[in-house]
Amino acid sequence: MLTQTVRMLGRLGETVVKGVAEMGFAAVLLGEALFWLAMGRRREQPVRLAPIVAEMTEIGLRALPIVTVLAVTIGIMLAIQGIYTLRMFGAESQVVPGIAFSVVREFAPLITGILVAGRSGSALAARLGTMRINQEVDALQVMGISPVRFLVVPPLVAMLVMVPSLSLWSILVALGGAGVYVSSTLDMTFAAYARQCLEMLTLGDLAHGMGKSFIFAVLITLVGVVNGASVSGGAEGVGRMTTRSVVQAISAIVITDMIFVFLVTR
Amino acid sequence: MNGVDRTSSRVAIEVRDLVTHYGERKILKGVSFDILEGEILVIMGGSGSGKSTLLNHLLGLLRPTSGAIRLLGVDITKAPPREMQALRRKMGVAFQGGALFSSMSVGDNIMLPLREHTRLDRKTMEIMARLKMEVVDLAGFENLMPAELSGGMIKRAALARAIVMDPKLLFCDEPSAGLDPVVASSIDDLILRLRDAMGMTIVVVTHELESAFKIADRILVLDKGEIIGLGSVDEIRNSASERIQNLLHRRTEEVELDADAYLRRLTGEE
């Protein structure tokens, strides 16, 4: 009984140490990535534009259709729920502020983050994991090419540009979708809905949503890279780490979102 | 001994008292040896002997617990990043599985070191890459993707990438493993040609006896993290050491029996 407890405590300790080590690794990676971004040229290892553009196409442009579909759906869903709830008080016309705030401050950045985590974060982890077990990362290192500069900086920069851009797009689309539903259900024109949205929303609300998106972009990249870099055990290991990376990235996004909201709205 | 004069040649690689751990486990237990300029040293050993670990340390991919590794006079266990960077341009490595970047064509793979380390224009780089592809008999394949190559071609392409910067040191990890005998033999010839034509110092890690005997100037035999033999091909072949002979004749060693330890392992109380 005693030995079992000790073993359990031992395992718990190991997990905690591993977790802390991973966070430390992520912090070092971020620091190193920023270093190469700023100093690469002076060190004769510039960060190149072509791979960044390629990543941006993959992370951003290719995600556009699905982001659009989900954003419209979320917008309509919020409108339906909002009207349903407010009808109890006979205040359906008050649905617009609810939609506007929740889309801009919460749903659009959150859904975009989760989607990019599932699409591109996992792909990043899988790619790096495969490269690691094929010794491609070692090969870069022995060639004197920093793997962080070569493999981490391009997706990081691409995420930092594309996640907020996609969020902005999904804000517009979700508000549009909700507007179509609201104007077709309530006694309100689309123009009146749009005007009310613009009156309600401030730049602060937009900054709130965009700020989150930047944090999500960093989180998705780091979680993907850390998991990809710690792959061991062949193809099965790649699969395991890819799954882990999606779960961790989504959890990190949701939890960070809550902390962010808590700190900002205090 | 293919032209390596052991009395006057300079030392290219120097390893002193190298001790390394993997977690708690001691992998290399105080390994020391020199490799001379222009020499082909083959590191041999069974699996678990520590030969891959030794190679990874020579490449500066792992940090040792203690000891020194000097490549071309630079102690890579202490060298600052800039010095390491300069040294890496004088090193070429052909990994076991090739480690070609699957998203790039063979030509782009071979050109990568040039693209990253030189300011040559693309045309010149292409010519230099093609030159090396001629050397490894891979001319005309530059537009294929690595997935389209056979095992032997991948090894050749990896060699071409390793030598594209004309390195002074070339490391090959199991260059002929997993290839049919004819292709394996042609890779061995290629390694010999590279040394003779370019005067490189070459370190080859392999467990293929035939290949080792064919290309080596000297053979280093590693077993359980210790050097159990270091000498010319004939010296190793005629060694009186039982452990070396076991390895050469693919005999498994008698394992000491310790009944208590065995029981403890079985019951998991170790």
Side-chain angles (χ1 to χ4, degrees), chain A residues 32-40 43 45 47 146 148-149 153:
Chain A
E32 217 176 302
L34 295 177
F35 168 83
W36 284 113
L37 203 53
M39 300 289 288
R43 285 287 181 100
Q45 287 208 50
V47 174
S146 157
V148 173
R149 170 183 71 91
V153 175

Side-chain angles (χ1 to χ4, degrees), chain B residues 8-75:
Chain B
S8 65
S9 280
R10 290 192 305 166
V11 173
I13 298 177
E14 196 182 341
V15 177
R16 287 288 170 274
D17 302 318
L18 186 66
V19 177
T20 69
H21 286 80
Y22 184 78
E24 301 274 294
R25 207 148 47 93
K26 202 172 189 177
I27 306 289
L28 295 177
K29 303 164 182 168
V31 169
S32 299
F33 60 93
D34 291 336
I35 305 175
L36 303 180
E37 272 182 12
E39 184 179 35
I40 300 184
L41 182 90
V42 172
I43 299 174
M44 285 185 63
S47 49
S49 59
K51 60 183 196 301
S52 303
T53 307
L54 177 58
L55 179 69
N56 282 336
H57 280 286
L58 289 177
L59 299 179
L61 292 173
L62 298 173
R63 282 209 170 272
T65 313
S66 66
I69 303 166
R70 274 184 280 278
L71 304 184
L72 306 172
V74 178
D75 187 346

